[in-house]
Every structure is written in structure tokens, then in C-alpha cells.
Amino acid sequence: MEFDLIVKNGIIASASDVIDGQDIGIKDGKIIALGTGLNSTSSSTTTIDAQGGYITPGGVDSHVHLEQPNCPMGDTWETGSRSAVCGGTTTVIAFVSQARQHDSLLPLIEEYSARAEGNSYCDYGLHLILTNPTMKILTEEIPILAKEHGISSVKLYMTYDPMMLRDREILNIMMASRKLGMTTMIHAENHDMIDLIIETLEAEGKTEPYYHSVSRPKIAEAEATYRAISLAELMDAPILLVHVSSQTAAQHIRDAQTRLLPIYGETCPQYLWLLAERLKATEKDHFHGAQAVCSPPLRETSAETDAMWRGIANGTFTTFSSDHAASKYHVEGGKKLGLVDGKPFFRKIPNGLPGLETRLPLLFKGVLEGRITIHDFVRVACSSPAKLYGLPSKGAILPGKDADLCIWYPHGKMKSFSLSNDMLHHDIDYTPYEDIEFANWPRYTVLRGKVVWNRDGEGLTGKIGDGRYIKRGASLLPGPRNIFVNEWRPPM
């Protein structure tokens, strides 16, 4: 057979198995063969020796914010996607965001798509953030986006004044998305609880970054999570609870799954590795904690981070995403928007952390430390996001799939290092994971058969524009069950 690339001597990992001793044969961007002793009839074939390291599917990061208004001084499509491939991720899904004043989605799709086209190092898809779900949008435009543009998921907010939706609006969206086989993503926090706490904290002069975590307690996430699940159960609609940070919220998701409801969960690296103490001032910088401001906030104790690891291991979490929503720290217009005349106001700090490049290494660190298995890693970082978001060519190392690979170092063969921001390829001036020790990192990243990252060689070998837009289909995971809470049925 003729191959463009053969990968030999690796341990191929999936969500259920590992295969040792099988080569991967790649032609025209696709995996066309798995077998022993593959050889090519072409003299131009490239061979990679994995040297006994794990080979996992290219990462699918299904929650990424690039070139959006909520990330001032943040990553562009070029710099964000560049950092993705350097961290083993070959597909990202970013967000087209509707503002309240927008009464049509189609111009927004066109404008945001133009930002990405020709500017991405990795493949990409788009979600849609809805803040003004008029009946015209739900009945006329959403079907066009799903069928013609391949946008098969919408994201809703239960908090933030400019974005939050009422329960009735959420129900209307669930009704529309259910008809189209779309997945509804929900940011679940109780807005009124948060609003009250912020008001009282500010009256008491407690406005430093640390109080961001105080203002958004676990109970606010837990209540909204339970409410979102209840709304979804009423409508028999599949939902994904994004960036889950607390044990109680995760338990609500687990309980719903036990009842076989199509309820899915996502968590992120910050909720595995960071605690609320990171929001406190340092001796040298009283505003330093702004670097760790995200919502939901970092939690107070390791009991919460342990619960997030447990949620990956026991299957509660379907996806593991970076929620990359980065803003620079050391320049005006980024995180420093939370400084007003030198005084910190946590409410004004742009939310979000950088994390695209570090997502897979941080999760793989959990494999090395025995917190999760390699199967858990592949499931939440590669295969399940591909299935949930309608990417049938992604997320698995099988003949016919896109040849997207992440090749890791053999155990003990990479020199351990402490991470510093200057090692990364984003355009952000800090990383919240500074000084974390890593014993493994993606050695090669392969995008549709092309080596785009070679850590021991030239480093970044991919080019801007390598990435293609992917039209997504309906979710491949269980959806509506046609089981309802009583005799009432939503319009089908």
C-alpha cells in the first residue's frame, strides 16, 4: 500500500482499549490502515517512531473563546489555534456571540466566520451564544444555521445582565433545538444570588479579586444546575452543563444521568488544579488574583478539585474543555479593566483564563498520577466531545477517520520541567499554571496527516491556514427519549 505517513511503535489509546504493536497508515489526510509492519510503496513516505509512547486522538477542545468581546486583549484565531496544536489539540469549537440588540444571527455568523477563515492552525467549528431568542430566530434562522452552516449547538446563560435568559426563554430554545437535534449548552449560576452578594460586598468595600469567589458560591451553581436539569426534563431535551466547578452541581448531573436523562457535563483544567486562594493578593502585587478570575470561580478546598477528578473517572463528565477565555494582565484594557483609579473592583475584571495549550498536558498529568485512566483521558478530551458535537471524522484512531494524532513521550523519556509562560505559544502574558511540574507533553501533533508540532525538532511546523471549518451534524450521543413528566407534550 502507499502511505504519506506511517506511525510505528506506539501504544494506540481509545476510550475503551489500548492497542500495542500496531502501526498507523495515513494517506490523503485519513487513517487508511492499522496493522503490523506496515510499509509503503512510495519513496516519499514519512515515518514517525513513537518509541513506545501513547498515541491518542488529536484533542477536541469544544469550549474556546477567540476574538470575542468578552476577552479584551485576548488571543486571535491565529495565536489561539497556534497554541492549540502545540498542546496536542487539532480541533476547537469557538463561539459566535449574539448581543441583545442583534435581531438576526446570519450577519453575525458571516462576520465571525470571516475572522477565522484562513487564520487557523487547527480545524474548527462554531457554537452560537443566544441572548435574544426571538421567535423569528428560533423558527426561521436556527434551522438555517443547523442545516446549511453546520452549527448544531447553542449556548445559554443563566447569569450576567447582558446575556442571561429567563426560564421561559430557555424553554423556548430547548423546544427549538430539540426539533433540530441540537445540543443546548448552559452556563448555570443563580443570577439573583450573585447580584445580591456583589451588592453587599461592594457596600462593605470588599472589592479585591478574592471576593469574586465569595460572590459566586457553590450553592448558586448547584441551584441553577438543578433548575436547568428540571427544565430539560420537562422538554425532554439534551443539555450540557458547561464548566462545572463544584461537587454538588456534579452530583445533580450524576443523579440525572442515573435516571437516564440526556444530561451531560463538562469541567475544565482550572477546576482540577487551582483553588480560590489563587485570587488573593501577593506581597508584590495586590491585584495579582485578577489573573485567576473566572466564572464559576475557583473553589475553596481540595474536596472540590478531588470531586472534579472523580467526575471524570466515574463518567459524570462527558467533555473536558479549556474554556480558553484569555485577557492579558500586564497591559491596559485587559484584566486591568478591574482597576479603577488604582482601586480593584472584581466585578469589572474580565472573566476567563488562558488554557488551550495546557489543557491536554494537565489532563495527561492526571493519568500519570493515577487519578484517571488513559481511557478516561481519551473519552473526555477527544472521543466524547466529537460525538456530542457531531464530528464523526474526529476523536478516534480508526480507518476512515481524519488522521489527527497526539503522540506522547515514552514513560520516563522526557526531562521533567516546571512550566513558565515563555514556553507557551499563545499571545497572553501569563499562565495560571506557572511552576506546575510536567513529566510529559505532546511530542508530535498531527493534523489530517500533516505534522504540525514536533517538540524535539522545529517545534511548530504547521502553518496559518492549515485549519479547515467543519460543518457539524447532530449529536451522536443519546438524545430525547420521548418520556415526559406528565401527559403534556411540547410541540414537536
Side-chain angles (χ1 to χ4, degrees):
M1 296 180 71
E2 184 176 313
F3 302 107
D4 298 323
L5 173 66
I6 300 174
V7 182
K8 294 179 173 288
N9 301 323
I11 303 172
I12 301 170
S14 74
S16 58
D17 290 297
V18 293
I19 305 172
D20 202 353
Q22 297 288 298
D23 303 337
I24 304 170
I26 296 165
K27 178 71 176 174
D28 297 330
K30 296 285 186 180
I31 298 169
I32 63 169
L34 298 179
T36 304
L38 293 183
N39 291 296
S40 179
T41 58
S42 171
S43 60
S44 62
T45 300
T46 300
T47 300
I48 293 177
D49 184 356
Q51 300 178 344
Y54 276 120
I55 306 172
T56 58
V60 178
D61 194 342
S62 54
H63 190 152
V64 172
H65 300 271
L66 296 173
E67 290 195 49
Q68 285 185 234
N70 67 316
C71 305
M73 307 300 293
D75 271 313
T76 63
W77 270 97
E78 176 183 352
T79 62
S81 63
R82 180 181 70 199
S83 70
V85 298
C86 296
T89 290
T90 51
T91 304
V92 301
I93 311 180
F95 293 88
V96 180
S97 188
Q98 180 197 31
R100 297 266 196 221
Q101 68 269 23
H102 295 143
D103 56 10
S104 176
L105 304 175
L106 302 180
L108 305 178
I109 302 297
E110 183 178 346
E111 188 273 335
Y112 190 70
S113 296
R115 296 185 204 177
E117 187 175 2
N119 291 316
S120 183
Y121 282 83
C122 65
D123 288 349
Y124 63 96
L126 299 176
H127 302 295
L128 176 67
I129 294 173
L130 279 176
T131 62
N132 181 22
T134 64
M135 293 311 296
K136 178 179 183 291
I137 284 173
L138 295 181
T139 59
E140 297 179 20
E141 294 196 355
I142 293 290
I144 293 173
L145 298 183
K147 295 171 184 176
E148 298 182 15
H149 295 267
I151 297 176
S152 57
S153 46
V154 295
K155 183 182 179 185
L156 320 177
Y157 288 83
M158 299 173 79
T159 187
Y160 300 133
D161 281 319
M163 309 180 85
M164 67 171 291
L165 299 177
R166 296 177 290 107
D167 287 356
R168 176 56 192 271
E169 292 173 308
I170 294 173
L171 290 169
N172 288 343
I173 293 169
M174 287 179 175
M175 194 184 316
S177 61
R178 183 185 189 279
K179 294 177 182 178
L180 295 167
M182 301 177 76
T183 298
T184 301
M185 309 161 69
I186 299 181
H187 177 141
E189 290 182 285
N190 183 298
H191 178 78
D192 289 330
M193 287 184 185
I194 294 166
D195 195 47
L196 172 64
I197 297 171
I198 290 176
E199 183 180 305
T200 57
L201 286 172
E202 289 186 341
E204 296 167 2
K206 297 177 178 177
T207 58
E208 293 83 3
Y210 172 74
Y211 288 101
H212 172 77
S213 66
V214 177
S215 73
R216 310 180 89 93
K218 293 179 290 184
I219 195 171
E221 182 183 24
E223 185 282 329
T225 298
Y226 185 84
R227 179 157 42 100
I229 292 170
S230 298
L231 298 175
E233 184 174 8
L234 177 69
M235 304 305 291
D236 184 35
I239 63 169
L240 174 92
L241 281 305
V242 297
H243 45 51
V244 176
S245 69
S246 62
Q247 186 169 359
T248 307
Q251 189 60 52
H252 287 324
I253 296 169
R254 184 72 171 172
D255 291 344
Q257 293 168 344
T258 301
R259 295 191 291 122
L260 302 182
L261 300 178
I263 306 299
Y264 302 101
E266 166 200 274
T267 196
C268 308
Q270 56 266 37
Y271 305 123
L272 302 181
W273 291 105
L274 306 178
L275 294 174
E277 63 187 18
R278 293 291 294 269
L279 282 86
K280 293 182 178 179
T282 66
E283 188 175 333
K284 295 182 179 179
D285 183 2
H286 75 287
F287 194 60
H288 182 79
Q291 295 183 7
V293 167
C294 58
S295 295
L298 307 180
R299 298 305 180 188
E300 294 78 10
T301 70
S302 59
E304 302 299 332
T305 54
D306 288 346
M308 299 304 99
W309 282 111
R310 195 162 56 247
I312 293 174
N314 68 20
T316 299
F317 293 123
T318 307
T319 65
F320 178 75
S321 304
S322 67
D323 190 14
H324 181 89
S327 298
K328 292 184 178 69
Y329 178 70
H330 295 286
V331 299
E332 296 299 322
K335 290 283 189 178
K336 294 290 178 73
L337 288 171
L339 278 177
V340 180
D341 297 327
K343 180 177 173 60
F345 285 89
F346 68 81
R347 181 168 50 87
K348 296 181 180 293
I349 299 170
N351 272 240
L353 308 179
L356 245 173
E357 189 168 350
T358 49
R359 177 184 73 112
L360 290 187
L362 286 165
L363 189 63
F364 199 84
K365 183 175 171 69
V367 176
L368 298 179
E369 294 178 358
R371 290 175 175 267
I372 60 172
T373 68
I374 190 66
H375 311 301
D376 297 325
F377 174 97
V378 173
R379 176 177 53 81
V380 297
C382 312
S383 61
S384 286
K387 292 175 182 177
L388 180 67
Y389 292 114
L391 296 166
S393 68
K394 303 293 186 181
I397 301 174
L398 291 170
K401 300 283 190 180
D402 285 354
D404 296 346
L405 308 175
C406 179
I407 304 172
W408 300 83
Y409 285 88
H411 181 67
K413 292 297 179 70
M414 189 197 85
K415 184 179 179 180
S416 296
F417 65 89
S418 295
L419 183 68
S420 63
N421 190 59
D422 60 6
M423 298 175 177
L424 300 176
H425 297 78
H426 59 198
D427 188 32
I428 305 302
D429 53 10
Y430 78 98
T431 172
Y433 308 107
E434 191 87 21
D435 295 329
I436 288 182
E437 190 82 8
F438 288 91
N440 213 323
W441 197 270
R443 183 176 165 220
Y444 295 97
T445 304
V446 179
L447 171 66
R448 282 181 281 101
K450 177 181 178 178
V451 177
V452 293
W453 167 249
N454 179 353
R455 187 172 183 268
D456 293 333
E458 307 95 309
L460 178 67
T461 56
K463 305 295 182 185
I464 187 171
D466 281 345
R468 299 175 183 171
Y469 176 67
I470 306 171
K471 290 186 176 182
R472 298 182 293 115
S475 173
L476 303 173
L477 294 181
R481 303 181 305 151
N482 291 316
I483 297 175
F484 299 91
V485 298
N486 62 18
E487 63 189 54
W488 179 80
R489 301 289 182 271
M492 299 298 185

